[in-house]
Amino acid sequence: MAPRIEKMMLTPEEIREGVWRLARQISTDYEGKEILLVGVLKGAFVFLADLARLITVPVQFDFIAVSSYGSATKTSGVVRIKKDLDMDVRGKHVIIVEDIVDTGLTLAYLMRNMLARGPASLEVCALLEKEIPGKSEVNIKYVGFKIPDVFVVGYGLDWAENYRNLPYIAALSKDSQ
Ligand code: PRP
C-alpha cells in the first residue's frame, strides 16, 4: 500500500530557522577552532549540507555509513560500519551530525567508536530527537527539534528510500509504517 503523508511536522521555514540556530550556537562555541563534521549516511546528508554552509568557523566534512541489526521495528543496538570515515579524527574537534536520534542506540555506538579514535573533542548535533520512554541516554549537545514518537520523512529522512528529497518534514500514516 502506498504510504500517505499524514501531517506536516516542520515546514521549510521552521527547519531553516532551526538550522540557523544550531549553526549560530556551534559557530560561537567553536570560535577560534576548526571543526570536523561527521555526517551519518544517508539521512544526515541534507541537514549537514545546510548546516555546514551556515557555520562561520572553518569546517571539514567526512561521512560514515552504519546499519543496525534487529527486527524491522526494533533495533538491537548492534551496529555495523558499512562505510568508514576517510579521515583520521585524532586531535580534531569532531561533531557527529545526525538527522534523527530515535532509540539512541546508533548514536551510543558511534560515540564509543569515535572516542576510541582520540578526537580533541566530541559532540553531537541532531536535527531531530524523538521523545520516547526508555531511550538510551546519550548526551546530545545540539538538538534542532524534539518530536513525538511518530514515523517522519523528508529533509533526508526516508520511508523505503523514498521522500528524502521533501523540503519539509512530515509524519506518515500508521498503516504505511
Ligand atoms: C536513522 C538515523 C540514525 C538512526 C537512529 O538511520 O539516521 O542513524 O536511524 O536510530 P536509533 O536512534 O534508533 O539508533 P537509518 O538506519 O534509517 O538509515 P538512513 O540514514 O540511511 O536512512
Side-chain angles (χ1 to χ4, degrees):
M1 177 178 174
R4 201 157 38 83
I5 302 271
E6 192 161 78
K7 184 174 172 235
M8 174 77 80
M9 301 289 288
L10 292 166
T11 65
E13 292 69 31
E14 287 168 329
I15 296 171
R16 203 171 304 131
E17 176 50 41
V19 177
W20 257 114
R21 180 168 45 75
L22 293 169
R24 275 198 302 268
Q25 252 179 290
I26 291 170
S27 302
T28 304
D29 292 354
Y30 288 84
E31 185 72 55
K33 296 178 181 152
E34 292 182 10
I35 308 171
L36 172 62
L37 296 179
V38 169
V40 185
L41 294 173
K42 298 176 190 172
F45 87 100
V46 176
F47 173 43
L48 187 143
D50 284 346
L51 179 74
R53 284 178 289 178
L54 296 173
I55 292 175
T56 54
V57 298
V59 163
Q60 297 179 325
F61 313 155
D62 205 347
F63 294 92
I64 191 165
V66 295
S67 69
S68 52
Y69 293 108
S71 66
T73 54
K74 201 169 182 343
T75 167
S76 63
V78 180
V79 175
R80 181 175 67 90
I81 294 181
K82 292 195 288 187
K83 182 229 168 278
D84 204 351
L85 299 177
D86 296 327
M87 293 166 67
D88 184 359
V89 307
R90 185 164 299 279
K92 299 200 179 225
H93 295 288
V94 174
I95 302 178
I96 296 174
V97 179
E98 266 288 21
D99 49 346
I100 187 164
V101 178
D102 191 335
T103 60
L105 291 167
T106 304
L107 193 53
Y109 168 82
L110 281 172
M111 295 282 284
R112 286 197 303 276
N113 184 288
M114 287 298 140
L115 278 173
R117 304 182 194 208
S121 65
L122 181 65
E123 296 294 352
V124 177
C125 178
L127 180 66
L128 306 175
E129 183 184 17
K130 272 195 188 176
E131 294 187 295
I132 46 174
K135 182 158 135 186
S136 93
E137 277 304 311
V138 192
N139 183 25
I140 309 173
K141 184 159 185 185
Y142 305 102
V143 178
F145 303 92
K146 298 209 176 201
I147 60 163
D149 189 12
V150 291
F151 195 96
V152 285
V153 295
Y155 199 70
L157 292 143
D158 73 311
W159 177 85
E161 298 299 330
N162 297 297
Y163 299 126
R164 291 195 198 271
N165 63 319
L166 298 179
Y168 52 85
I169 291 172
L172 281 192
S173 61
K174 275 259 185 272
D175 51 17
S176 61
Q177 292 178 29

